[in-house]
Amino acid sequence: MRFDLFPYFLANSAGIGLGVFLGVFIGLLIRAKNGKREGLFMNSVAATAFLASVAALVISALIKAMTFSG
């Protein structure tokens, strides 16, 4: 496992983080407009979507770091 390349793996996973942010943001925005705001972090759609995207970004980078064979 190469943690010295972790910034490289984070940069490669940026698209995953962005995609998760947009998908979660749109989904939660529709849900919040219907009046279902329970379960949101700090009662905020943007904060919840940001946390989900950061989690996806880090998990993806960790998977890339674990499976790297170079």
Side-chain angles (χ1 to χ4, degrees):
M1 185 160 41
R2 302 275 315 260
F3 281 112
D4 56 329
L5 293 174
F6 197 68
Y8 171 74
F9 297 133
L10 280 174
N12 277 346
S13 301
I16 294 171
L18 182 62
V20 168
F21 176 79
L22 290 175
V24 171
F25 186 76
I26 291 169
L28 289 178
L29 196 61
I30 292 170
R31 180 177 166 232
K33 285 189 184 266
N34 291 333
K36 300 175 188 160
R37 297 189 68 86
E38 64 275 353
L40 297 178
F41 180 72
M42 294 174 45
N43 205 23
S44 171
V45 170
T48 306
F50 177 73
L51 285 177
S53 68
V54 168
L57 175 74
V58 171
I59 289 170
S60 174
L62 282 173
I63 290 172
K64 287 183 182 199
M66 296 282 207
T67 58
F68 183 69
S69 64

